[in-house]
Amino acid sequence: RAKSAGGNRFELADPEADARAITRHGLTTALPTALDRGEFFIEYQPLVHLGDGSVRGAEALVRWLHPQHGVLGPDRFIPLAEHTGLIVPLGRWVMEQSVRQAREWRERYGDGNEGRPLRINVNLSPCQLTHPGLVQDTVDILERTGVSPDALCLEVTESALIGADDDLLKPLRRLAEMGVDIALDDFGTGYSNLANLRRLPVSVLKLDRSFTQGMQQFPADPVDLKIVEGIVALAHSLDLAVTVEGVETGAQAEQLRILGCDTAQGWYYARPGPPDRLHELALADATS
Ligand code: C2E
Ligand code: MG
Ligand code: MG
Ligand code: MG
C-alpha cells in the first residue's frame, strides 16, 4: 500500500473506495429526480401490542427502487437526501402516502381491532424538524385525507433532540397539542439527559434495537435487564408508552413483555412489507 511506502503521503487508488464513490455519485445525480420518476415506495412493519399480540399499527419505511442498483434501503439515500434538501419533499411524500394508507386500512378494516383502528408511524429527519412548513404540511395532509391526528405518530431520533432549544421543540409541541403522537426513536443511543425527557413533547419511547439484542440469550444479561426495567419504569412514570425495536425471537418478546414494554416491532412478528401484508396480519390477528 502506498500509504506505508514512506515519506510522500499520497495514496494509490483504492478500487473499492472508487467503486463506492462512483455509486455514491450515481445516487447523488439520480436522487433529485427520483421522486418525480416515482421510484420511491414504502414498506410497512407492524407494531404489535406485547400484552395481547394484536397489531396496533405500522411504521412506514421508505425504499428507493433504483433503475440500476435495485432496491436501496434508507441508510443508502436518506443522508444524501438530507444533504441535497430532497428530504423535505420526500418526507412530505412519505407522510402523505402513509396517512392515505392508514385511511385505507381504516376503511377496509374499520374498528375491528376491538375499537382500535390501525395507526401509522412516520420517521422525521432533523432537516424536516427545522423546516418551517412542517406543521402546516402535516395539517394539510391530515385534512386532505380526513384522518384524525391521533392516528399519526411522528418518530424523531433521540440524537436529533439532544440539546434542542425551544425553537426546535415548538413545531413538535404544536403537533402534540393537535393530538399527533411524537415518539423518541432509537432511544438509549444518544446519551441524552434523562431528566430532559420531561421537557420534550413526546408520548412514546422507542427503545433501540441494541437493548433488544441484549435479550437474545436466556437468561438475559442481568445488567441489561436492570437497565431496561429502569427505563420502562421512568417512561411509565412520565406517562410515556414504550415500544421496542428489533424483536427477532419469541424469547425476546416474552422477556420484554415481562419487563413491562408496551409495544414491539421486529422480524419475529413481520419484516417490513407491502400494505396488504399488514392488512392480512391484522385480520388474522382479529379472527384468531
Ligand atoms: P428506524 O426508524 O429505527 O427503523 C427501524 C429499522 O430497523 C428499519 O430499517 C427496519 O427495517 C429495521 N428492523 C425492523 N425489525 C428488525 C429486526 O427484527 N431486526 C433487525 N436487524 N432490523 C429490524 P430500515 O428500513 O433499513 O430503516 C433504517 C432507518 O432509516 C430507520 O430506522 C429510519 O431512521 C430511517 N428511515 C426509514 N424511512 C424513513 C423516512 O421515510 N424518512 C426518514 N427521515 N427516515 C427514514
Ligand atoms: Mg423509526
Ligand atoms: Mg428506530
Ligand atoms: Mg433503530
Side-chain angles (χ1 to χ4, degrees):
R1 283 198 142 230
K3 233 196 253 177
S4 51
N8 289 328
R9 304 189 82 244
F10 63 86
E11 288 183 39
L12 287 182
D14 171 352
E16 255 179 52
D18 275 351
R20 278 197 302 273
I22 288 163
T23 307
R24 212 180 139 84
H25 182 70
L27 297 186
T28 313
T29 48
L31 189 67
T33 46
L35 189 56
D36 293 334
R37 284 198 305 271
E39 291 173 358
F40 293 106
F41 66 100
I42 302 172
E43 289 192 317
Y44 299 89
Q45 187 176 36
L47 288 153
V48 177
H49 191 256
L50 275 165
D52 61 14
S54 62
V55 176
R56 296 296 175 91
E59 178 173 8
L61 297 159
V62 69
R63 279 89 179 83
W64 178 11
L65 181 55
H66 187 283
Q68 278 92 48
H69 301 295
V71 175
L72 301 176
D75 293 337
R76 293 286 300 281
F77 61 85
I78 291 286
L80 283 176
E82 289 174 336
H83 191 68
T84 57
L86 185 75
I87 192 68
V88 170
L90 175 60
R92 203 161 35 213
W93 179 84
V94 171
M95 193 191 291
E96 173 129 23
Q97 293 299 305
S98 310
V99 170
R100 280 189 192 287
Q101 188 56 61
R103 188 192 56 193
E104 200 187 310
W105 286 327
R106 284 170 171 227
E107 279 165 1
R108 287 167 62 185
Y109 179 60
D111 295 346
N113 195 7
E114 293 173 33
R116 289 181 303 257
L118 294 175
R119 309 174 74 240
I120 186 77
N121 283 35
V122 176
N123 292 285
L124 280 191
S125 107
C127 310
Q128 291 171 273
L129 271 187
T130 51
H131 184 260
L134 175 65
V135 174
Q136 195 55 51
D137 287 346
T138 308
V139 169
D140 289 347
I141 286 171
L142 291 170
E143 275 178 9
R144 267 205 298 279
T145 52
V147 168
S148 89
D150 60 14
L152 177 64
C153 176
L154 297 176
E155 300 192 0
V156 184
T157 59
E158 184 190 18
S159 53
L161 293 186
I162 282 180
D165 57 13
D166 273 338
D167 281 347
L168 193 75
L169 295 179
K170 212 177 277 169
L172 289 182
R173 287 218 177 88
R174 297 236 341 249
L175 290 164
E177 281 159 17
M178 281 164 43
V180 173
D181 270 316
I182 310 292
L184 207 50
D185 205 353
D186 299 343
F187 183 79
T189 58
Y191 309 101
S192 65
N193 177 354
L194 288 179
N196 213 9
L197 274 179
R198 261 190 337 181
R199 218 167 57 85
L200 304 177
V202 297
S203 46
V204 181
L205 279 195
K206 287 194 84 173
L207 206 57
D208 190 68
R209 186 156 63 86
S210 50
F211 292 99
T212 315
Q213 278 168 334
M215 309 283 135
Q216 218 137 32
Q217 308 90 334
F218 191 83
D221 184 284
V223 177
D224 283 345
L225 291 179
K226 282 283 169 218
I227 292 174
V228 173
E229 209 175 5
I231 292 176
V232 171
L234 175 81
H236 286 166
S237 74
L238 294 171
D239 267 335
L240 306 178
V242 179
T243 299
V244 287
E245 303 182 322
V247 175
E248 294 180 0
T249 68
Q252 286 172 326
E254 180 57 9
Q255 189 66 258
L256 290 157
R257 185 189 66 77
I258 291 168
L259 288 170
C261 298
D262 303 291
T263 319
Q265 182 180 353
W267 297 346
Y268 172 61
Y269 303 101
R271 301 222 174 200
D276 285 354
R277 178 85 185 106
L278 188 97
H279 188 241
E280 283 163 28
L281 288 168
L283 278 182
D285 154 57
T287 53
S288 63

